[in-house]
Amino acid sequence: MQGKLTQSDFPLSRTDSHLFSLHQTSLKMVFMAAILAAVVQVLAGLSAEEVQVEVTFTPVRCNFKSEDGFFLRYHYNGTFPDGKKFDSSHDRGNTFDFTLGKGEVIKGMDQALRGMCAGEKRKITIPPHLAYGDSGVDGVIPSGATLVFDVEMVEVRDPTEEVPNVLFWWLGETPTDAFGDMDSNKDKIVTKDEFTKYCYEQVSEEKGKFLPGRREVDLIEDMFHFQDQDADGVISFAEFSGPKDHDELYFPKMVSSVVILAVSLQIFAALAEEDLGDVAIEVTFKPKRCIFLSREGYFLRYHYNGTYPDGTKFDSSHETDETVDFVLGRGEVIKGMETGLRGMCAGERRKITVPPHLAYGDKREELLEGSIPPGSTLVFEVELIEVLDPMDDLPKNLFWWVGETPTNSFGDSDANRDKKISKEEFANYCHMMADSDKGVFLPGRREQDLIDDMFSFQDRNRDGFISFHEFAGPKIHEKHDEL
């Protein structure tokens, strides 16, 4: 009779029951081992399929690091795993510029460039599915190719900050004579080696700080170029824009402190008696935007032609191509010039007539060529180049936006749509922005000088144009890859 099977129909001894239990346990262990092996294989496969990043160089100072939304500039060499090169930014002479985390580069590069500082170098290996996948790039990158990039980060910038920014600033007390401290061989000029050595000494001693986000060597290059105005490879005393111990331009230095004190007392007494209103001032040109005006304690830089009332020239800064640099109100120039240069803005021109008692009086003043006779009235045709409040750091922002920042200044500047910006196009755009109250030039310097410096700052290959890659302002990136 068929019925329901029960355990009693298949009697097991205690030994048989134990063996059956062991058999079940063995099967479970084998099963778990198989699962573990599969997991290991999967993880190994995933590891091989992810981006591999090897840091090959980290700068001494590596604090300001890239984040999503930051603007990055970098150089790279692109090769296949066998070392064969397929592309290089160095060959083109242009960095690759993009905004991190917006899909403007292949996915693997968006991942691998996070957390980098300027000057850092990385070797980045990107598997196919995070590069160009099965499609590749026709004639350049085959389907399913793994790519290797040797990358050096050139710049990391937070786009909410203005560019260019202060490149170097002092920590604590500002030196009184940085020029003299740099000029190690005391030849009254500063070479690039001297300039570089001094900057690094200040930073290593925590007396100075470089602008984070750019390679220090590039910052030094820009600061040196900014001050080497005649491009002769050295910075002269007149060109140097940092702290320096001014030589008396018209009054010889006294050795004895007692004599210095006596002369100072005589000067103050004379100033109290003299009528400084005797200086005749004629404004011959005033810039459209003339807001930041000179006052006592400000650093001034100006060019001049010096003549007698009959038009005979006795001196000119244009002939030596060196401006006169001094601090207003400290007795570093003749008294009449102290009066004539007050309340001026950069770019303003004046004709200043100085009577004898506010010039050199009854004494004969020796010049490099000839001399000024006693009792001479002097006429100076002056153009003020720069007005600087010494409490401000230098250099600082040269131009900034008012209100909403444009999204595509490059396209707006490129009037003829040839994908590069000439100096004329750049100047026209800057003036148009300032005229429409959408932008502001740095007060205290001539606008043309600011335009020249901003253009030179971005024209890195010195070809007379700013390319899309060189342009440091707002621009619209077309969706593209490294190529």
Side-chain angles (χ1 to χ4, degrees):
M1 180 177 177
Q2 292 183 345
K4 187 177 180 179
L5 294 178
T6 65
Q7 185 174 347
S8 59
D9 293 318
F10 300 93
L12 293 174
S13 65
R14 289 186 62 185
T15 302
D16 291 333
S17 178
H18 179 65
L19 289 174
F20 182 71
S21 178
L22 287 175
H23 180 65
Q24 286 182 315
T25 302
S26 298
L27 287 174
K28 289 180 179 178
M29 291 179 66
V30 171
F31 183 67
M32 292 299 294
I35 292 175
L36 180 61
V39 170
V40 170
Q41 287 180 343
V42 170
L43 291 176
L46 286 175
S47 178
E49 290 299 310
E50 294 303 316
V51 175
Q52 298 176 28
V53 178
E54 177 188 354
V55 178
T56 57
F57 175 76
T58 303
V60 175
R61 291 165 283 276
C62 186
N63 300 317
F64 189 72
K65 299 184 179 182
S66 58
E67 301 176 8
D68 281 354
F70 277 21
F71 170 82
L72 306 185
R73 287 198 306 118
Y74 66 93
H75 267 303
Y76 70 92
N77 286 317
T79 63
F80 300 113
D82 63 1
K84 182 180 178 181
K85 182 170 69 174
F86 62 82
D87 191 25
S88 174
S89 64
H90 297 283
D91 293 346
R92 294 190 297 275
N94 286 321
T95 56
F96 187 82
D97 307 349
F98 80 110
T99 300
L100 188 64
K102 292 192 175 181
E104 296 175 357
V105 294
I106 55 178
K107 295 178 182 178
M109 289 299 275
D110 248 342
Q111 295 176 16
L113 296 176
R114 290 188 176 101
M116 281 189 80
C117 65
E120 183 177 341
K121 299 177 184 177
R122 291 182 178 183
K123 182 178 181 180
I124 301 168
T125 304
I126 303 178
H129 72 285
L130 295 177
Y132 299 101
D134 294 332
S135 60
V137 177
D138 189 32
V140 182
I141 297 176
S143 171
T146 294
L147 306 181
V148 180
F149 293 92
D150 288 306
V151 170
E152 180 178 8
M153 187 62 67
V154 175
E155 183 176 1
V156 178
R157 176 161 61 84
D158 183 344
T160 62
E161 295 182 355
E162 298 287 345
V163 175
N165 209 327
V166 178
L167 306 187
F168 184 93
W169 59 90
W170 307 107
L171 301 177
E173 187 175 352
T174 302
T176 56
D177 188 19
F179 183 88
D181 297 336
M182 291 183 189
D183 183 20
S184 55
N185 61 0
K186 304 308 178 191
D187 59 355
K188 298 184 179 180
I189 55 176
V190 173
T191 65
K192 184 174 286 185
D193 286 342
E194 289 174 324
F195 187 83
T196 301
K197 181 181 178 183
Y198 179 79
C199 288
Y200 281 126
E201 284 176 350
Q202 296 303 297
V203 173
S204 63
E205 295 172 7
E206 297 184 351
K207 296 179 180 179
K209 182 179 180 180
F210 287 109
L211 168 70
R214 291 189 57 204
R215 295 185 301 183
E216 293 175 359
V217 64
D218 293 336
L219 295 170
I220 289 171
E221 180 72 27
D222 285 340
M223 288 190 291
F224 190 88
H225 176 73
F226 177 83
Q227 297 175 88
D228 180 18
Q229 296 178 10
D230 58 4
D232 63 352
V234 295
I235 301 174
S236 67
F237 182 87
E239 291 173 322
F240 187 71
S241 60
K244 55 187 175 184
D245 185 11
H246 287 272
D247 289 325
E248 299 293 342
L249 299 180
Y250 296 99
F251 297 103
K253 289 185 175 179
M254 303 297 179
V255 178
S256 168
S257 59
V258 175
V259 175
I260 292 175
L261 178 60
V263 171
S264 298
L265 291 174
Q266 289 177 351
I267 290 174
F268 290 137
L271 284 174
E273 296 174 359
E274 290 165 345
D275 183 5
L276 298 179
D278 290 344
V279 176
I281 300 172
E282 177 188 353
V283 177
T284 57
F285 175 78
K286 182 167 285 192
K288 182 185 298 184
R289 290 168 282 274
C290 188
I291 302 169
F292 189 71
L293 306 180
S294 60
R295 65 183 186 183
E296 289 193 5
Y298 277 21
F299 170 83
L300 307 187
R301 174 178 288 143
Y302 68 92
H303 266 304
Y304 71 92
N305 285 317
T307 65
Y308 300 112
D310 64 1
T312 302
K313 183 170 65 177
F314 62 83
D315 195 18
S316 174
S317 65
H318 296 283
E319 293 180 354
T320 60
D321 199 27
E322 289 191 353
T323 56
V324 175
D325 305 351
F326 79 109
V327 177
L328 189 62
R330 293 189 180 177
E332 295 175 358
V333 294
I334 56 175
K335 302 165 195 173
M337 288 298 278
E338 289 270 14
T339 301
L341 295 173
R342 287 189 177 97
M344 283 187 78
C345 65
E348 184 177 342
R349 297 171 194 165
R350 291 182 178 182
K351 181 178 180 180
I352 302 171
T353 303
V354 182
H357 68 284
L358 297 177
Y360 299 105
D362 294 330
K363 69 176 183 178
R364 179 177 296 274
E365 178 67 13
E366 299 296 331
L367 303 175
L368 292 177
E369 296 182 7
S371 60
I372 295 177
S376 295
T377 294
L378 305 180
V379 181
F380 294 91
E381 292 180 346
V382 171
E383 180 178 10
L384 195 55
I385 307 297
E386 183 174 1
V387 180
L388 171 67
D389 182 347
M391 299 301 293
D392 288 343
D393 287 310
L394 188 74
K396 63 186 293 184
N397 299 343
L398 305 187
F399 186 92
W400 59 91
W401 306 108
V402 177
E404 186 176 352
T405 301
T407 57
N408 188 20
S409 290
F410 183 89
D412 296 339
S413 301
D414 182 20
N416 61 2
R417 299 294 183 254
D418 60 355
K419 297 184 179 180
K420 59 185 180 181
I421 299 174
S422 66
K423 181 174 282 190
E424 182 180 2
E425 288 175 322
F426 187 79
N428 288 342
Y429 180 75
C430 290
H431 284 305
M432 180 176 70
M433 292 294 101
D435 290 343
S436 59
D437 294 328
K438 295 179 180 178
V440 177
F441 287 102
L442 168 70
R445 290 187 59 202
R446 295 185 302 182
E447 292 180 1
Q448 187 56 53
D449 293 339
L450 295 170
I451 288 170
D452 288 344
D453 284 342
M454 288 189 290
F455 190 89
S456 175
F457 176 83
Q458 295 173 88
D459 178 19
R460 298 185 184 276
N461 63 1
R462 302 291 186 261
D463 65 348
F465 295 93
I466 301 174
S467 68
F468 183 86
H469 287 295
E470 291 174 324
F471 190 71
K475 56 188 175 184
I476 293 179
H477 285 269
E478 297 179 1
K479 191 155 180 142
H480 58 281
D481 52 39
E482 270 64 30
L483 303 179

